[in-house]
């Protein structure tokens, strides 16, 4: 399979090798460069190599960090806020104009269905168009001094300012949206911005950088660091990076936290969410939404449903409705009319198959799916887990990034809260039901960052903030919330003692 790029906008950022494969340059604080060292990018559709991407040298990295730190962070800050906002709108406009290439790259490189790819491009555009809502929180405080004997006749303002250079590390599952989201809340408040995209699908991010340049962002303030994750230690620990915004697995989050040193962090880490079905839920609706929560983007979503806890009295009915929904799902080449495309790589399919074996060895029973249909293709799978064994299963304790979930029955909502909280993750929970007292109990007891009532968890563009507790992360992504981590507070204290401004008694 060959990747095709249709818009002329991108023509100076790649060359075509003799075998027809596109070789991309990378953007390093002001210029597009190509290097002798590159890595191959494959399509999960058929595992063919679809492009080659330059890898920066050590000298490139030092030059880039130096430029971002010495010039880029001031270049960005020196653009007035209203102009930065207008540039973000321009990025949205250019994304829209060139959306065919972005949709295509998400299908070919990330294996998204046409519908999922279009939804990601729309989400990126929407996020940019909503950037001004972030501004509601770019505010400061005025603090009078006369409440303390020590500070009388002084006063302070506490302002927010850009923290400097932000390093975004993005995952494979939303390469375009995640980069755009992190970019929005970083540059809106005046920071320089470097991104390290996932090695599996960097193409949408490379294309985005051309758009950023064209939209008029200061070129010394931007960098695209296509460095393998295993070689990121030097960058992550560099003291010129003031904040890291990582979306990725909990394992990667742990490594980054250990090596980064003292910085500001947003860590959106592993998840996989429980769904709780209460006895008075609308079972048909719940089954439709839970099914989507399991299979959408092949279960490769941090907010995908992985555990389903159903109150005893409705267990059989709900189970049957969910089986019926999952049986309708079509799996195949995402360029065709299907609901589910491939997994990102063969290792993830291997991991799903091992998790199925583990569940079966512990008494689990496959209710739907369970088969591997190709190197990267799997059936959406539902496994019934005995209540007394579920806690020992891999699928309960570890996020398996694939369309698979466990279902079990529980006595009541109290048991649902207890069982949900036993998982090491704490991203979201969805609750289906009407009994406000049970729902209110669950809201109080669940240790998660977000609760979705009568729908499956969907972070969307972050209109409502989301983020994890426990090993699911630190901080919040969401419009108006994330700037907390890309700005620093500065208190300015004015001393007017004895100058006759106040006439205190
Ligand atoms: P991943 O393997 O952890 O990789 C994420 C990013 O981190 C990639 O760019 C990766 O680069 C990089 N990386 C890996 N090791 C690193 C290291 N030691 N230092 C610095 N960077 C490193 O995750 P993924 O498979 O791409 O994405 C899926 C994960 O993201 C899931 O766990 C999912 O739950 C999580 N996620 C969470 C949220 C949320 O909101 N909480 C949202 C989306 C996804 P390479 O690709 O080069 O290895």
């Amino acid at each position: 399979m060959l990747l095709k790029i249709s818009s002329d906008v991108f023509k100076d950022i790649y060359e075509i090798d003799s075998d027809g494969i596109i070789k991309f340059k990378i953007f390093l604080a002001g210029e597009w460069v190509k290097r002798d060292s590159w890595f191959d990018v494959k399509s999960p559709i058929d595992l063919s190599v679809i492009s080659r991407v330059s890898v920066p040298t050590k000298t490139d990295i030092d030059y880039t960090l130096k430029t971002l730190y010495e010039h880029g962070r001031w270049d960005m800050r020196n653009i007035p806020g209203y102009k930065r906002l207008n540039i973000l709108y321009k990025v949205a406009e250019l994304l829209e104009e060139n959306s065919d290439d972005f949709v295509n790259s998400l299908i070919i490189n990330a294996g998204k269905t046409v519908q999922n790819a279009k939804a990601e491009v729309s989400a990126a555009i929407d996020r940019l168009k909503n950037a001004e809502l972030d501004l509601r929180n770019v505010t400061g405080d005025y603090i009078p001094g006369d409440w303390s004997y020590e500070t009388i006749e002084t006063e302070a303002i506490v302002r927010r300012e850009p923290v400097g250079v932000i390093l975004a590390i993005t995952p494979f599952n939303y390469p375009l949206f995640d980069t755009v989201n992190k970019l929005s809340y970083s540059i809106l408040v005046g920071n320089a911005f470097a991104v390290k995209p996932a090695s599996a699908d960097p193409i949408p991010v490379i294309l985005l950088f051309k758009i950023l340049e064209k939209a008029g962002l200061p070129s010394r303030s931007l960098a695209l660091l296509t460095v393998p994750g295993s070689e990121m230690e030097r960058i992550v620990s560099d003291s010129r990076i003031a904040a890291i915004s990582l979306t990725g697995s909990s394992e990667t989050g742990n490594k980054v936290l250990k090596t980064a040193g003292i910085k500001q962090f947003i860590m959106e880490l592993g998840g996989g969410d429980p769904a709780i079905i209460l006895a008075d839920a609308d079972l048909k609706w719940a089954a439709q939404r839970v099914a989507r929560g399991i299979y959408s983007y092949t279960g490769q979503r941090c907010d995908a449903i992985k555990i389903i806890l159903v109150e005893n009295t409705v267990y059989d009915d709900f189970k049957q409705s969910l089986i019926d929904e999952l049986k309708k799902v079509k799996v195949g080449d995402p360029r065709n009319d299907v609901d589910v495309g491939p997994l990102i790589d063969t290792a993830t399919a291997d991991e799903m198959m091992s998790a199925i074996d583990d569940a079966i060895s512990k008494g689990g029973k496959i209710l739907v799916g369970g088969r591997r249909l190709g190197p990267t293709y799997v059936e959406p799978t539902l496994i019934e887990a005995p209540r007394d064994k579920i806690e020992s299963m891999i699928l309960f304790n570890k996020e398996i990034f694939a369309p698979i979930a466990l279902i079990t029955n529980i006595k009541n909502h109290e048991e649902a809260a207890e069982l949900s909280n036993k998982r090491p993750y704490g991203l979201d929970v969805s609750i289906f039901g009407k009994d406000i007292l049970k729902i209110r109990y669950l809201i109080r007891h669940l240790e998660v960052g977000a609760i979705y009532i009568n729908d499956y968890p969907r972070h969307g563009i972050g209109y409502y903030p989301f983020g994890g507790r426990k090993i699911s992360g630190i901080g919040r992504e969401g419009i108006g919330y994330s700037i907390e981590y890309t700005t620093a507070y500065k208190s300015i204290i004015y001393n007017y003692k004895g100058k006759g401004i106040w006439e205190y008694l």
Side-chain angles (χ1 to χ4, degrees):
M1 183 188 317
L2 287 178
L3 175 73
K4 295 255 185 301
I5 294 177
S6 58
S7 171
D8 280 350
V9 166
F10 304 110
K11 67 178 185 310
D12 58 345
I13 67 165
Y14 65 86
E15 291 168 358
I16 299 190
D17 272 352
S18 52
D19 51 4
I21 291 179
I22 288 183
K23 194 164 172 182
F24 282 106
K25 299 177 187 171
I26 47 173
F27 190 81
L28 298 177
E31 53 174 329
W32 287 94
V33 299
K34 64 174 175 188
R35 292 290 175 253
D36 294 337
S37 165
W38 67 80
F39 64 94
D40 288 343
V41 178
K42 291 182 181 171
S43 170
I45 296 175
D46 62 1
L47 299 174
S48 58
V49 174
I50 49 165
S51 87
R52 303 190 172 104
V53 175
S54 286
V55 178
T57 62
K58 285 200 169 109
T59 316
D60 286 334
I61 292 168
D62 285 340
Y63 161 81
T64 303
L65 293 179
K66 188 173 186 299
T67 309
L68 290 176
Y69 185 77
E70 289 182 1
H71 305 288
R73 69 192 170 115
W74 291 107
D75 290 354
M76 191 69 86
R77 209 181 286 200
N78 289 339
I79 295 179
Y82 79 92
K83 285 193 180 168
R84 288 198 301 269
L85 185 62
N86 282 335
I87 296 175
L88 287 178
Y89 293 153
K90 181 75 188 165
V91 174
E93 200 183 301
L94 291 169
L95 267 179
E96 216 152 11
E97 273 171 38
N98 295 283
S99 62
D100 286 352
D101 281 320
F102 284 96
V103 169
N104 187 45
S105 72
L106 287 164
I107 296 169
I108 303 294
N109 193 188
K112 300 218 163 195
T113 59
V114 177
Q115 197 191 1
N116 285 164
K118 285 185 175 164
E120 181 164 353
V121 175
S122 299
I125 293 168
D126 272 5
R127 176 63 183 91
L128 290 159
K129 287 185 177 165
N130 277 293
E132 69 183 338
L133 293 181
D134 284 284
L135 296 176
R136 63 191 169 191
N137 285 352
V138 188
T139 55
D141 284 324
Y142 164 76
I143 305 181
D146 66 318
W147 296 96
S148 158
Y149 172 74
E150 285 275 318
T151 51
I152 200 155
E153 288 192 283
T154 71
E155 63 186 350
I157 58 165
V158 183
R159 63 185 292 262
R160 277 176 189 278
E161 62 183 33
V163 75
V165 180
I166 308 289
L167 172 64
I169 304 179
T170 52
F172 81 84
N173 60 343
Y174 291 99
L176 177 67
F177 174 77
D178 268 333
T179 309
V180 163
N181 184 33
K182 291 177 192 306
L183 172 94
S184 299
Y185 63 70
S186 298
I187 69 165
L188 188 74
V189 292
N191 294 291
F193 181 76
V195 64
K196 181 265 174 284
S199 301
D201 55 6
I203 296 171
V205 186
I206 300 173
L207 300 182
L208 173 71
F209 263 71
K210 185 64 206 174
I211 298 289
L212 301 183
E213 192 193 18
K214 211 171 149 46
L217 280 170
S219 60
R220 295 189 298 186
S221 312
L222 297 173
L224 172 58
L225 299 169
T226 45
V227 176
S230 54
E231 293 167 26
M232 280 294 289
E233 200 170 322
R234 269 187 55 237
I235 300 177
V236 160
S237 61
D238 195 293
S239 59
R240 289 168 291 194
I241 306 277
I244 297 180
S245 174
L246 162 71
T247 299
S249 62
S250 301
E251 293 74 21
T252 301
N254 244 324
K255 284 186 199 154
V256 168
L257 283 172
K258 278 184 188 146
T259 48
I262 299 171
K263 294 181 166 50
Q264 296 189 179
F265 296 102
I266 303 184
M267 294 271 160
E268 290 299 341
L269 306 178
D273 295 335
I276 298 170
I277 318 296
L278 299 174
D280 60 355
D282 175 341
L283 297 185
K284 285 268 177 275
W285 167 256
Q288 282 166 15
R289 304 312 277 172
V290 170
R292 272 186 166 249
I294 296 171
Y295 71 75
S296 179
Y297 188 36
T298 325
Q300 301 173 118
R301 297 168 28 247
C302 55
D303 49 4
I305 292 177
K306 304 285 181 201
I307 311 282
I308 305 149
L309 309 174
V310 190
E311 279 196 298
N312 271 328
T313 50
V314 292
Y315 182 75
D316 289 334
D317 287 348
F318 176 77
K319 181 173 87 177
Q320 193 51 53
S321 297
L322 183 56
I323 292 172
D324 295 344
E325 289 298 328
L326 288 173
K327 280 191 171 159
K328 293 181 201 160
V329 176
K330 282 189 279 178
V331 183
D333 186 322
R335 291 168 296 179
N336 301 330
D337 178 25
V338 294
D339 307 300
V340 170
L343 290 166
I344 193 70
D345 53 24
T346 55
T348 310
D350 295 344
E351 209 183 349
M352 170 164 157
M353 291 301 133
S354 311
I356 293 175
D357 292 345
D358 168 79
I360 290 170
S361 74
K362 291 167 182 160
K365 183 178 150 205
I366 295 178
L367 300 176
V368 184
R371 287 182 308 156
R372 189 169 185 163
L373 305 171
T376 51
Y377 292 85
V378 293
E379 287 179 326
T381 299
L382 181 66
I383 298 182
E384 183 166 53
R387 171 64 191 90
D388 60 338
K389 293 283 168 38
I390 192 169
E391 290 170 44
S392 68
M393 293 181 178
I394 290 175
L395 286 160
F396 184 87
N397 294 298
K398 186 172 182 316
E399 177 189 41
I400 302 295
F401 227 44
I404 183 164
L406 296 175
I407 184 166
T408 198
N409 57 356
I410 42 147
K411 284 195 297 287
N412 53 31
H413 59 293
E414 290 166 8
E415 189 183 1
E418 197 187 318
L419 197 50
S420 296
N421 288 342
K422 283 189 176 162
R423 297 191 73 233
Y425 302 97
L427 194 54
D428 323 285
V429 168
S430 71
I431 304 169
F432 290 85
K434 300 185 190 78
D435 185 331
I436 189 67
L437 298 180
K438 287 183 180 178
I439 293 172
R440 187 63 186 83
Y441 176 96
L442 287 166
I443 291 172
R444 175 159 194 244
H445 286 83
L446 291 166
E447 292 165 350
V448 290
I451 295 177
Y452 294 75
I453 296 162
N454 289 320
D455 209 350
Y456 67 96
R458 281 184 298 166
H459 296 162
I461 66 164
Y463 188 84
Y464 300 120
F466 61 89
R469 287 169 64 174
K470 305 196 287 186
I471 67 167
S472 291
I474 301 171
R476 287 292 173 272
E477 276 199 328
I479 298 172
Y481 282 77
S482 307
I483 58 150
E484 180 70 27
Y485 314 93
T486 55
T487 52
Y489 289 104
K490 187 177 271 174
S491 303
I492 296 122
I493 296 112
Y494 298 86
N495 179 6
Y496 302 104
K497 276 188 199 288
K499 301 288 188 249
I501 311 270
W502 290 278
E503 290 166 7
Y504 288 119
L505 299 175

